[in-house]
Amino acid sequence: MTGDAHANELGEFLKARRAELTPRTVGLPDTGGRRVPGLRREEVALLATISTDHYTRLEQGRIQPSASVLATLAHVLRLSDHQRDHLFGLVGRPQARHRRPAAQKAHPQLRRLLDDLTASPGVVIGRRMDILAWNSAAVALFTDFAKVPESRRNCARILFTDPAMRTLYADWRTVARDCVSHLRGLAAAHPEDPLLISLVGELSLENADFGRWWVSRRAPSRRQGVKRFHHPLVGELVLDWDTLVCGSDPDQELVVWTAEPGTPSYDGLRALASRTPGRPGGSPAGRTG
């Protein structure tokens, strides 16, 4: 079979599969007004974190997809193992059987570090920016993470979907754009992670800012810096933040916010700590699972 025939078969397979799916099937709102059933090209492209033009050219047989794009489309289009094998076979690409990454748990040493922190907020973040653990000072500064369903306990999702974050951060747009840059780096490192693919697709469709910033080019996110907060209880806080990468699991990192002793922000963190229940600085670190 010729290359053009393969490309035509691929395009027909993709079109047929997206016609079989509904927005509800892939977790999208159904806004109605569809001339034909199924998903639109732009919806598949957003969920797959590729441009609509790129996806259109795939369906038209004008370009050959990479293995990572094929794997992403297999997840987005909810293909069975047999359909996935067929998809890869259409372009003559060998594939390794996809395995869903195991759920991450915060490393015990990072948990102990959190337990030892008193007035300094800290969280353990995983490979998709999931929040794996936190201390009570982080609850006092941000939100009660224990009340957020574990499946949605993610830094990027909270930042873009919780309206309180837009007033908590003095410069929400800068923080949010840095978050998108960091998430893009994670997606590049884990191009076939289905949960990461779903997260990016979900936020791209739900938030216009996220979708626009995702396709733009921006310098990689930093590992430390200064953030300003407008806290509803203690007012303005200017906090230094730094990132410690777990030596035994580089996909986990501890992020800690601190303030210079003797400053109003230092006093503000102490005031927040005094409002949390339990021992000074709050109760032991939050845990998932």
Side-chain angles (χ1 to χ4, degrees):
M1 184 176 290
T2 67
D4 286 344
H6 273 301
N8 290 339
E9 274 200 71
L10 173 65
E12 291 302 316
F13 178 81
L14 292 174
K15 285 186 284 188
R17 181 55 184 164
R18 68 178 172 86
E20 295 171 350
L21 299 174
T22 66
R24 188 180 299 276
T25 305
V26 296
L28 299 178
D30 190 350
T31 56
R34 295 173 186 268
R35 292 178 297 176
V36 295
L39 297 178
R40 299 185 176 103
R41 282 175 172 171
E42 57 266 29
E43 290 171 332
V44 175
L46 276 173
L47 289 169
T49 66
I50 58 178
S51 70
T52 301
D53 178 66
H54 186 90
Y55 179 75
T56 299
R57 286 186 289 162
L58 281 177
E59 278 200 358
Q60 294 173 343
R62 294 160 55 193
I63 58 173
Q64 281 286 309
S66 66
S68 63
V69 167
L70 284 176
T72 300
L73 290 173
H75 172 71
V76 166
L77 296 174
R78 303 297 196 268
L79 300 187
S80 66
D81 287 346
H82 174 74
Q83 290 171 320
R84 194 174 192 274
D85 290 341
H86 179 64
L87 176 67
F88 275 78
L90 285 174
V91 294
R93 287 187 178 275
Q95 64 156 321
R97 178 64 59 199
H98 178 77
R99 295 182 180 178
R100 178 181 292 266
Q104 277 187 300
K105 299 296 181 183
H107 192 279
Q109 186 174 355
L110 296 184
R111 289 189 183 278
R112 290 195 296 271
L113 284 171
L114 279 177
D115 287 339
D116 287 341
L117 294 174
T118 55
S120 295
V123 296
V124 177
I125 297 176
R127 70 170 69 91
R128 309 176 194 95
M129 298 188 75
D130 293 329
I131 300 169
L132 307 181
W134 60 91
N135 61 8
S136 56
V139 171
L141 178 60
F142 295 106
T143 191
D144 189 349
F145 298 110
K147 293 182 179 180
V148 180
E150 186 172 354
S151 63
R152 300 189 63 79
R153 200 180 293 148
N154 176 276
C155 290
R157 183 180 282 113
I158 291 173
L159 182 63
F160 278 92
T161 63
D162 185 346
M165 296 298 108
R166 292 178 180 261
T167 55
L168 177 63
Y169 285 102
D171 188 358
W172 180 87
R173 290 179 67 84
T174 296
V175 173
R177 293 200 69 173
D178 285 343
C179 173
V180 173
S181 294
H182 185 64
L183 200 59
R184 188 186 295 111
L186 295 177
H190 306 283
E192 298 184 21
D193 186 322
L195 295 180
L196 189 54
I197 293 166
S198 294
L199 173 65
V200 172
E202 170 197 328
L203 294 178
S204 295
L205 288 169
E206 290 185 1
N207 189 281
D209 285 331
F210 184 97
R212 183 170 60 256
W213 295 336
W214 180 262
V215 298
S216 68
R217 288 292 173 260
R218 185 177 172 88
S221 60
R222 296 170 297 162
R223 311 296 294 180
Q224 55 81 37
V226 178
K227 284 189 171 67
R228 295 178 179 271
F229 299 86
H230 291 312
H231 198 278
L233 296 179
V234 297
E236 184 177 19
L237 296 171
V238 181
L239 304 180
D240 299 309
W241 65 277
D242 212 332
T243 305
L244 305 175
V245 178
C246 181
S248 57
D249 184 357
D251 283 339
Q252 293 190 38
E253 54 191 32
L254 172 63
V255 183
V256 181
W257 291 262
T258 61
E260 183 72 24
T263 63
S265 295
Y266 181 86
D267 295 337
L269 284 182
R270 291 300 185 273
L272 278 179
S274 70
R275 294 172 181 265
T276 57
R279 62 181 173 81
S283 56
R287 299 165 187 268
T288 61

